[in-house]
Amino acid sequence: MLTPKRFIPFRRIAIPVIGHTLPPNALNLARELGGEITLYPLSSSPHGERVHSPRQKRKELSKWQESIGPNVRIQVLPESAGWPSLRQYLESDLPDLLLLEIPYHFQGAFTLHEVLSSTPCNLALIRGPWPEHYGNVLLPLRGGPHAELSLRLALGLHDFRLTALHLVGPERSQIEGPFRGLARILPSFRDLTYKTAASDQPAQTILEESRQADLLIIGAAARPTPETSGLGSTAESLLNQATCSVVVVKSAQPVPELWSGPESERIGYKAISVLVDKWFAENTFHADEFANLHELVALKEKQNVTISLALPALNEEETVGQVISCVKSALMEQVPLLDEIVLMDSNSTDRTREIAAELGIPVYIHQEVLPKYGARRGKGEALWKSLYVTKGDIIVWIDTDIVNIHPRFVYGILGPLLHFPQIQFVKGFYRRPIREGEKIQATGGGRVTELTARPLINMFYPELSGVIQPLSGEYGGRRRALERLPFFSGYGVETGLLIDVFEHFGLSSIAQVDLQERIHHNQPLEALSRMSFLILQAFIRKLEQRYHFPILEEVNKSMKFIRYEEGRYSLLVQEVVEQERPPMIEIPEYLEKHPHAGS
């Protein structure tokens, strides 16, 4: 079984060492976070006496290296080094996080005040014994400047159950705009609970909630007062009063003069970025990870699932035969990974259907499937109707214009679905050289992705900003998920499915796989413009559904194409409308053919 990937929130972690004894709680936290650990041994004790001879020092360092493991390095400081000397090394090394343990690090070597006033990197203070694995972690989200850092640290704790508690003022009944994304995305992560609480006494509310926790992670105050240690009154009282272990974090980023308005709202978006980083690290794969086809077949048989491959096509006689032959030979004849392959043709006028039939593949013309509901133009219509004609519990779609076809375009998509039951939908991504006649350009594909789709995703759905190629034609999912989703009939189908899977099943249900390289024919600029227009409509439709506010009814759906012929410009007006099909599970004929639908 493939080992789940890990999110490493901090690549380099610094821990000072006082005297002969290592700080156990700081080390346990560093190990849990998974980054490279750098130890900074301070050669003098708090009282100034020498604690190491050179020989003793070498022996001690060797012992530490052996006990901690290979993921550690040791930076030897000069004798009698204190905080000023250590700070200089930290400024030079620039670790991602400095871990200090209370009271271990604050018994004479340096003071909390000097550390808080001049730490050159992110800081985490640990008080109390490190809890056992699978303990309960409480993460209050208060919107301060250190909330992003506390969230990043909490999400790096892989062996714990995390509760994110979003605190709002008592007069506010709804979550602020920037934090709504967190409310949508956090619950989709495993072993994580998200809840809100309105309170005008945040310290007391957190203290009460922490009684059920083994570890509390909090951020320092934005503007600590002179009367506090530099952590702020809330963090300081929790550090002293909480019965569980406590980690207080302080970001190295400077706090703006006015921590309100747009500056305070930024934390919601920055926190979403942390969640996307976690998703990207844990849910991005490479096709080579799934190249053991016998292992995939064994997983398929153990789970008792069937797999269908549907091939949408329109006038692809040059490539469709090669695509079918390659995939059928490798994944049906050599190993029984696929149970069926079908061609969903969009009424081709060349030999596309004949070639598929000659290769023994069932052929459907999508305009003739479910005729009661009419026939629309577009790839999305073919994909929607392929749910009706196929039988598999898992359905994969790949385009039929792939010049460099390889079985990885299919088994790469199937790998995450067979290895990880929580994943419902997998997108492929790849480098996209384009073919111009007999020449292949190394780059240039994916123009609509980069100029239309990804900017819109980053603006309206930042939770999905880690999806490398949202418009790729190679993807698949579980029938029980796909049959519950509407399908756009045209080029908006990829956009709509990605957003709907996220809205219905959460970010953790989506994975992406590197399929290496895909060579295809380039489309003319006018076709790309039409595609962008339809994708923009799909985005607006999804925003309408999210916010329950009509927009498209007031928007023009005709498009003027610019033509230049014989030295003159002219306009060609076409109606370009993206329509949506209902979830297939709502179609009576589908329920009759698939009696277990919805189960």
Side-chain angles (χ1 to χ4, degrees):
M1 192 71 175
L2 196 71
T3 303
K5 296 174 180 288
R6 286 198 61 176
F7 169 55
I8 308 296
F10 307 103
R11 293 292 171 181
R12 294 175 298 138
I13 300 172
I15 303 177
V17 179
I18 311 296
H20 297 282
T21 308
L22 294 169
N25 299 319
L27 280 172
N28 282 332
L29 175 55
R31 290 191 187 101
E32 180 66 26
L33 294 173
E36 178 189 87
I37 302 169
T38 301
L39 300 181
Y40 293 82
L42 302 181
S43 300
S44 296
S45 75
H47 306 291
E49 67 267 15
R50 183 171 178 173
V51 295
H52 287 95
S53 68
R55 182 177 179 182
Q56 287 174 321
K57 182 184 292 186
R58 287 193 298 270
K59 185 177 180 181
E60 196 83 336
L61 298 183
S62 177
K63 180 181 175 182
W64 291 347
Q65 186 94 45
E66 184 178 338
S67 65
I68 298 172
N71 201 32
V72 65
R73 72 183 186 93
I74 299 173
Q75 176 71 273
V76 180
L77 274 64
E79 296 211 15
S80 71
W83 173 251
S85 179
L86 174 60
R87 187 184 67 232
Q88 290 181 3
Y89 275 83
L90 294 173
E91 288 173 345
S92 175
D93 294 346
L94 286 179
D96 300 311
L97 184 67
L98 170 64
L99 295 183
L100 297 179
E101 187 174 318
I102 299 173
Y104 173 94
H105 285 106
F106 302 99
Q107 300 182 86
F110 36 75
T111 67
L112 182 58
H113 175 75
E114 65 181 336
V115 169
L116 292 173
S117 63
S118 59
T119 302
C121 58
N122 295 326
L123 170 67
L125 300 171
I126 311 159
R127 190 227 68 192
W130 186 249
E132 297 291 330
H133 284 347
Y134 300 106
N136 295 312
V137 177
L138 178 65
L139 173 68
L141 295 172
R142 298 183 291 152
H146 312 299
E148 177 193 3
L149 180 61
S150 62
L151 179 62
R152 182 174 291 276
L153 189 147
L155 291 175
L157 303 179
H158 294 263
D159 295 332
F160 291 85
R161 293 181 295 271
L162 177 61
T163 296
L165 175 67
H166 185 187
L167 293 170
V168 297
E171 72 283 355
R172 285 176 286 180
S173 59
Q174 292 188 339
I175 300 171
E176 305 96 316
F179 282 93
R180 291 185 193 129
L182 290 180
R184 286 193 300 268
I185 193 172
L186 276 170
S188 74
F189 286 100
R190 290 174 293 167
D191 299 325
L192 188 148
T193 302
Y194 180 87
K195 60 182 183 179
T196 61
S199 174
D200 57 356
Q201 295 181 314
Q204 188 61 35
T205 301
I206 295 170
L207 195 61
E208 292 173 2
E209 292 281 345
S210 69
R211 293 190 180 116
Q212 308 299 320
D214 301 296
L215 177 66
L216 170 65
I217 301 174
I218 54 175
R223 298 289 179 194
T225 62
E227 291 76 23
T228 65
S229 64
L231 297 175
S233 57
T234 299
E236 189 172 283
S237 64
L238 290 168
L239 191 64
N240 294 326
Q241 297 178 42
T243 56
C244 63
S245 300
V246 181
V247 174
V248 182
V249 301
K250 184 177 184 293
S251 172
Q253 296 295 321
V255 178
E257 286 298 320
L258 293 175
W259 182 252
S260 61
E263 287 297 335
S264 65
E265 290 178 356
R266 284 177 56 205
I267 185 57
Y269 300 116
K270 292 172 74 176
I272 289 175
S273 179
V274 176
L275 295 165
V276 173
D277 289 347
K278 177 179 171 64
W279 174 84
F280 191 90
E282 296 179 351
N283 285 39
T284 301
F285 301 89
H286 193 285
D288 287 350
E289 297 179 67
F290 311 110
N292 187 336
L293 301 184
H294 294 288
E295 181 182 32
L296 294 183
V297 171
L299 287 169
K300 169 194 164 185
E301 293 173 349
K302 181 179 180 180
Q303 298 167 30
N304 192 30
V305 296
T306 54
I307 301 173
S308 299
L309 172 65
L311 304 171
L314 175 62
N315 295 328
E316 302 293 355
E317 65 178 3
E318 292 184 17
T319 52
V320 68
Q322 184 180 358
V323 169
I324 293 173
S325 298
C326 173
V327 174
K328 183 181 179 184
S329 172
L331 305 181
M332 289 187 81
E333 296 170 353
Q334 297 180 34
V335 297
L337 185 59
L338 295 177
D339 294 283
E340 67 172 343
I341 302 175
V342 302
L343 184 82
M344 290 301 298
D345 186 66
S346 295
N347 215 2
S348 296
T349 56
D350 63 4
R351 294 191 68 254
T352 295
R353 293 194 299 275
E354 288 80 355
I355 292 171
E358 290 167 2
L359 293 171
I361 297 301
V363 174
Y364 299 90
I365 300 175
H366 89 244
Q367 289 88 344
E368 298 175 1
V369 175
L370 295 172
K372 172 182 173 181
Y373 301 94
R376 297 176 182 172
R377 294 180 57 189
K379 175 184 175 182
E381 181 84 346
L383 301 187
W384 182 67
K385 290 181 175 179
S386 72
L387 290 178
Y388 176 76
V389 304
T390 56
K391 305 170 185 175
D393 303 304
I394 294 174
I395 302 167
V396 176
W397 295 291
I398 67 171
D399 288 338
T400 49
D401 65 343
I402 304 174
V403 174
N404 62 322
I405 185 64
H406 187 279
R408 67 173 176 270
F409 284 90
V410 177
Y411 68 68
I413 300 296
L414 288 171
L417 292 164
L418 291 173
H419 276 277
F420 303 106
Q422 77 276 11
I423 291 177
Q424 303 294 317
F425 188 70
V426 179
K427 292 286 294 185
F429 67 92
Y430 26 66
R431 297 181 301 279
R432 298 191 64 176
I434 57 176
R435 171 166 286 187
E436 294 280 3
E438 296 301 316
K439 296 182 179 180
I440 295 178
Q441 298 180 14
T443 59
R447 287 168 288 175
V448 176
T449 294
E450 296 303 327
L451 299 178
T452 302
R454 285 190 52 77
L456 287 169
I457 283 174
N458 277 272
M459 181 176 292
F460 296 112
Y461 294 92
E463 305 92 339
L464 294 169
S465 58
V467 179
I468 295 175
Q469 285 173 348
L471 303 184
S472 71
E474 286 61 53
Y475 52 97
R478 302 186 192 278
R479 178 179 292 275
R480 64 174 180 262
L482 297 170
E483 67 188 5
R484 289 175 164 82
L485 305 178
F487 277 57
F488 284 111
S489 297
Y491 284 121
V493 64
E494 282 88 11
T495 298
L497 284 176
L498 181 62
I499 292 173
D500 281 331
V501 171
F502 165 64
E503 297 279 27
H504 285 77
F505 304 104
L507 184 60
S508 288
S509 70
I510 302 170
Q512 60 182 352
V513 178
D514 186 351
L515 302 177
Q516 299 182 34
E517 184 176 91
R518 183 190 193 279
I519 300 174
H520 63 107
H521 295 284
N522 191 26
Q523 293 202 53
L525 191 60
E526 185 175 294
L528 299 181
S529 180
R530 178 189 179 91
M531 187 186 303
S532 295
F533 193 58
L534 290 169
I535 289 168
L536 182 57
Q537 291 182 45
F539 268 98
I540 294 175
R541 181 67 70 196
K542 292 306 166 187
L543 290 171
E544 286 181 332
Q545 294 168 3
R546 171 182 280 187
Y547 297 110
H548 309 289
F549 185 81
I551 303 173
L552 276 177
E553 284 74 5
E554 308 299 326
V555 173
N556 176 52
K557 300 183 185 68
S558 64
M559 189 171 184
K560 295 179 176 64
F561 294 94
I562 310 298
R563 294 292 169 85
Y564 181 77
E565 296 175 333
E566 299 179 356
R568 296 181 59 188
Y569 288 98
S570 62
L571 297 177
L572 174 65
V573 182
Q574 292 183 357
E575 188 176 33
V576 181
V577 181
E578 184 61 284
Q579 297 175 295
E580 199 170 33
R581 288 292 194 182
M584 187 58 80
I585 201 170
E586 297 178 8
I587 304 299
E589 292 87 343
Y590 177 80
L591 294 175
E592 183 178 347
K593 187 173 182 179
H594 299 269
H596 299 294
S599 59

